[in-house]
Amino acid sequence: MEFFAFHLMPWDRLPADFDEKYESAWTWLPNSLYDPQHGVELYNRYLDELVLAEDLGFDGVCVNEHHQNAYGTMPSPNLMGAILARQTKRVKIAVVGNALPFYNPPTRVAEEFAMIDVISGGRLIAGLVVGGGPEYYSFTINPTFAREMYHEALDLVVRAWTEPGPFEHYGEHWKLKYVNPWPRPLQQPHPPIWIPGAGSKETIDFVAARRYSYMGIPYFHIDFFRKNFEAFRQACEQHGYKASPRQLGWLCPIYVAETDEQAWAEYESHLMYFAHSLLKGLVVLPPGYTSPRSIANINKALNLFLSQVKTRADVEKGAYAIVGSPATVRDKLLEYIPSLGVGNLLGLFQLGTLPADLTRKNMTLFAQEVMPQLRQAIPAFPPIAAVPVPTYQRA
Amino acid sequence: MPNTQFLEVAGKKTQLIVHGDGPPLVYLHSAAGEAEWGTFHERLSKKFRLYVPAHPGFSLSAGLDQIRNMDDLAWHYVDLFEQLGLSNVPIVGMSLGGWIACELLMRRPQLGSKLVLSASAGLHVPGSPIAELFVDSFDRLRPLLFLDPRLPAADELLPSSQEDPRVLLWLRAREATARVGWNPYLHNPRLIDHLRRITCPTLVIWGAQDAVIPVAHGECFAKHLPHARLEIIPQCGHMLQYEKPDAWHAAIERFVLGS
């Protein structure tokens, strides 16, 4: 079992009239609301929290990419990954991920990820993602080409890492005469690849076929994850191997305090700020981003989404967040982790307006009073089944 | 209700309705995908033999995978006109359809005898941006498309909610529109320099309160098309034929049937 500390680096100071005045925390939220002076403190504090994760014994840290929003102020997760490569010595650095269609040409991702991998001594986990719906508005990238661009770019990045250059890439969206990125990654044949998904059959099948790892897109009801992870295991069976729990990751907000009551008293307002303000406008499905039927299905599944929760009881029932005393959090995770069959727990220990002191206390209690017991109770997982023939190499 | 037929146009299954007696008229629909027979089609078919093709990806037309941009869509219509033996015919283009008509006629001017550009997309007019149409909420779309969002005719065009059975067709229409119109947003920066090639008489017709494509676009079309005149319908939003049907039909009949 591997434990990761995930950080979104949220903006924690939306104005009091945000709910009435703004329809979204994304894309169109005026950037005059961003205060760079406060940003100085915030970025440095958030980085310290990720460095703390190493000191506390976590296996890894996670950063991710979002643009033009208050939910996550990391337009370049690679900058954060580079800082963490220097400021940590041991933890895995999961950049989950780079939104491939936004990198032009996408070989930039091969280069920057290789840099982080080399600087960190081979600690990078490479997340390769499509990018969020709102970001197709923010960058005016045609979402009807999102999947095509993503698949072309992903193949190109993996090929750039594994096939000696220079070679020509002649694709639908990029035509590159000389693909020959320096540096090459330290991990061979390439860093582990993590791909997030919200249950689309196409993504599950693709990740299973390539033997990459599948991360459940967060903030849904636990039943939604259960169904998708089961579908992933079945897809692996169909591709002739047994999925390792290492191939599955569950991202979940976690808050630990001395007692259940104290945990809820300290946490609830921050969780609700996250759920009702920062998530506002996250689920935007631009045309063609996925098929019309999938869009209609996701629109229907939104009643199983964290932004819809109103009460503590709603949160607990759907396991949208794991909150309580060390014993409570331990018991819940001991129930959920084996039932989901995941080998990676991606804990979101800071969210919304949760301040520095409570974040550090939360991480410390988790690392000292939850993590060791979970490590003991959950058996070691087999490695990911070796790929007989590298399927990412084209015939 | 007239029959819906399906043609193969260069490998693309294409939905087409042809109905009415009289001189031919081709209607190229908007991003809303009004390619299923409705009130205004019926009324046009009283005066014309009306051709209503659905663009690739709209209604039950397939072939969006072969449409990479507006260039491909324009050539699709070159093929369709040839297949139907249509040439030197009047064309009405509504919004997205107006843009398609311009792209078609700048390549093949002889295909059009007269052109009606109804609240047409296709241009970028500095200071008069086209509104964001790619929003999820029908409650936000209605006041964009109609001066009076409570207009009963609006229900004929728009699904009422995400539970409406027409939502899937609506999502298809949105995707097919985005394919050609996401970036540059619903226009071709080069179009303005090619408008001089469209030499047929042109009626540019606009709703005075169009909140999607401001009237300034109509003025720009009228200025750059060689034989165009602009007619503005008062108290009217973007979807003219739903909001002010009498004025819209009268203007088209006068222009197309007049000498």
Side-chain angles (χ1 to χ4, degrees):
Chain A
M1 189 72 203
E2 301 220 309
F3 296 90
F4 288 78
F6 199 115
H7 219 307
L8 295 167
M9 304 202 177
W11 188 247
D12 66 346
R13 282 190 183 174
L14 288 175
D17 61 357
F18 170 80
D19 279 345
E20 308 94 76
K21 212 168 153 190
Y22 302 101
E23 286 187 18
S24 171
W26 293 76
T27 312
W28 302 279
L29 184 68
N31 65 0
S32 53
L33 295 177
Y34 184 85
D35 169 13
Q37 198 57 52
H38 182 51
V40 174
E41 179 193 322
L42 218 48
Y43 273 134
N44 286 289
R45 174 198 141 192
Y46 289 159
L47 282 164
D48 287 345
E49 288 167 3
L50 289 174
V51 173
L52 175 68
E54 169 159 283
D55 301 338
L56 289 172
F58 282 84
D59 300 290
V61 293
C62 305
V63 290
N64 73 349
E65 173 175 335
H66 285 299
H67 300 269
Q68 298 195 177
N69 76 102
Y71 162 92
T73 59
M74 267 190 291
S76 170
N78 297 355
L79 288 180
M80 294 305 176
I83 294 168
L84 291 164
R86 290 284 300 171
Q87 291 213 308
T88 62
K89 291 288 169 251
R90 179 187 55 79
V91 283
K92 294 179 181 174
I93 300 166
V95 180
V96 288
N98 280 186
L100 295 176
F102 308 155
Y103 292 79
N104 191 13
T107 41
R108 292 187 59 96
V109 172
E111 292 173 337
E112 291 180 18
F113 270 170
M115 286 176 74
I116 298 172
D117 197 47
V118 170
I119 295 169
S120 67
R123 291 185 283 134
L124 177 78
I125 291 170
L128 301 175
V129 307
V130 179
E135 279 133 7
Y136 283 82
Y137 290 84
S138 293
F139 283 164
T140 322
I141 302 264
N142 193 325
T144 74
F145 293 125
R147 304 287 151 177
E148 273 184 30
M149 292 174 83
Y150 174 71
H151 287 289
E152 180 180 338
L154 190 144
D155 280 343
L156 174 59
V157 167
V158 175
R159 199 176 157 209
W161 280 339
T162 52
E163 192 174 313
F167 61 81
E168 182 192 62
H169 171 80
Y170 202 89
E172 178 69 30
H173 293 277
W174 292 280
K175 280 103 186 147
L176 307 173
K177 286 166 72 182
Y178 311 112
V179 177
N180 188 29
W182 289 60
R184 293 187 298 115
L186 180 66
Q187 295 179 82
Q188 289 297 316
H190 57 73
I193 291 175
W194 284 10
I195 292 174
S200 106
K201 224 179 119 23
E202 293 81 9
T203 305
I204 286 175
D205 192 67
F206 171 76
V207 178
R210 303 283 183 107
R211 309 195 179 199
Y212 299 151
S213 297
Y214 183 78
M215 302 295 129
I217 285 192
Y219 319 133
F220 282 98
H221 192 286
I222 186 125
D223 291 344
F224 189 74
F225 291 107
R226 204 170 270 132
K227 193 175 101 208
N228 295 338
F229 293 158
E230 187 48 41
F232 181 79
R233 282 184 287 270
Q234 282 174 13
C236 293
E237 296 282 350
Q238 278 160 15
H239 287 284
Y241 71 103
K242 194 168 159 43
S244 165
R246 292 174 196 273
Q247 280 174 275
L248 288 169
W250 175 39
L251 169 51
C252 187
I254 296 172
Y255 191 76
V256 195
E258 288 75 357
T259 65
D260 288 353
E261 284 322 304
Q262 191 180 338
W264 278 101
E266 287 172 354
Y267 191 56
E268 192 163 356
S269 67
H270 305 294
L271 177 65
M272 293 304 171
Y273 169 90
F274 176 77
H276 299 144
S277 295
L278 295 181
L279 289 184
K280 194 172 167 185
L282 165 65
V283 186
V284 166
L285 299 160
Y289 179 72
T290 176
S291 70
R293 194 161 293 281
S294 298
I295 291 180
N297 287 341
I298 295 171
N299 280 332
K300 283 180 194 147
L302 283 182
N303 55 353
L304 295 178
F305 197 66
L306 174 57
S307 58
Q308 300 301 311
V309 305
K310 298 280 180 289
T311 64
R312 169 179 168 177
D314 294 339
V315 174
E316 297 202 297
K317 202 162 153 235
Y320 291 101
I322 308 296
V323 185
S325 69
T328 298
V329 170
R330 207 159 53 218
D331 290 348
K332 286 188 184 225
L333 289 176
L334 272 175
E335 178 196 338
Y336 292 135
I337 290 170
S339 83
L340 291 173
V342 294
N344 301 285
L345 178 67
L346 283 43
L348 193 58
F349 295 95
Q350 193 283 336
L351 52 63
T353 41
L354 192 73
D357 57 339
L358 294 183
T359 302
R360 297 179 85 88
K361 184 176 73 140
N362 177 24
M363 291 174 70
T364 307
L365 281 174
F366 181 87
Q368 292 174 352
E369 300 190 30
V370 179
M371 205 156 69
Q373 288 81 348
L374 293 180
R375 282 194 201 282
Q376 228 166 25
I378 299 170
F381 301 122
I384 298 172
V387 188
V389 178
T391 49
Y392 47 80
Q393 278 180 11
R394 289 159 174 194
Chain B
M1 188 74 87
N3 282 337
T4 301
Q5 48 177 302
F6 291 93
L7 312 172
E8 284 284 315
V9 180
K12 296 184 284 297
K13 177 186 146 196
T14 300
Q15 174 179 320
L16 174 70
I17 301 176
V18 184
H19 190 65
D21 299 309
L25 181 75
V26 179
Y27 178 81
L28 299 179
H29 65 78
S30 77
E34 65 289 6
E36 306 297 330
W37 202 251
T39 310
F40 80 89
H41 305 95
E42 181 66 28
R43 190 161 164 184
L44 284 172
S45 73
K46 302 290 183 209
K47 302 278 179 181
F48 301 99
R49 180 161 181 78
L50 185 67
Y51 290 75
V52 185
H55 314 321
F58 285 85
S59 284
L60 296 178
S61 285
L64 189 62
D65 52 328
Q66 293 172 60
I67 303 295
R68 311 296 296 180
N69 50 38
M70 180 52 84
D71 198 38
D72 291 339
L73 188 49
W75 289 112
H76 168 76
Y77 274 102
V78 171
D79 294 339
L80 180 76
F81 272 56
E82 186 177 317
Q83 199 162 327
L84 293 173
L86 291 171
S87 184
N88 196 33
V89 289
I91 302 171
V92 176
M94 174 65 204
S95 195
L96 172 69
W99 178 18
I100 297 170
C102 290
E103 296 273 351
L104 171 67
L105 293 182
M106 78 188 212
R107 288 168 176 78
R108 292 286 188 275
Q110 70 281 9
L111 293 182
S113 61
K114 289 184 178 175
L115 173 63
V116 178
L117 289 182
S118 180
S120 180
L123 295 178
H124 174 76
V125 179
S128 301
I130 300 178
E132 179 63 76
L133 271 184
F134 296 112
V135 294
D136 290 333
S137 146
F138 298 113
D139 292 340
R140 282 175 62 193
L141 269 174
R142 277 166 183 266
L144 276 178
L145 295 175
F146 300 95
L147 177 61
D148 173 12
R150 290 174 311 278
L151 197 75
D155 296 333
E156 194 185 326
L157 184 72
L158 284 181
S160 50
S161 73
Q162 298 296 334
E163 277 70 46
D164 193 310
R166 293 175 293 175
V167 155
L168 272 181
L169 277 187
W170 177 264
L171 289 169
R172 273 170 57 77
R174 231 168 62 107
E175 177 172 351
T177 303
R179 175 54 61 90
V180 298
W182 187 267
N183 183 0
Y185 183 54
L186 294 174
H187 77 284
N188 170 4
R190 301 296 308 132
L191 179 63
I192 194 164
D193 286 348
H194 289 287
L195 289 180
R196 63 184 172 81
R197 301 178 197 283
I198 302 173
T199 49
C200 64
T202 304
L203 171 67
V204 180
I205 184 166
W206 230 270
Q209 283 83 19
D210 192 327
V212 178
I213 308 182
V215 177
H217 290 243
E219 291 162 357
C220 188
F221 273 116
K223 187 175 153 198
H224 288 88
L225 285 161
H227 303 289
R229 101 186 137 74
L230 174 64
E231 188 167 330
I232 294 175
I233 299 183
Q235 290 302 302
C236 184
H238 183 65
M239 298 304 297
L240 299 102
Q241 69 268 53
Y242 293 84
E243 192 138 31
K244 285 286 181 278
D246 291 344
W248 189 76
H249 283 279
I252 289 175
E253 286 168 21
R254 226 173 18 243
F255 171 71
V256 178
L257 298 173
S259 51

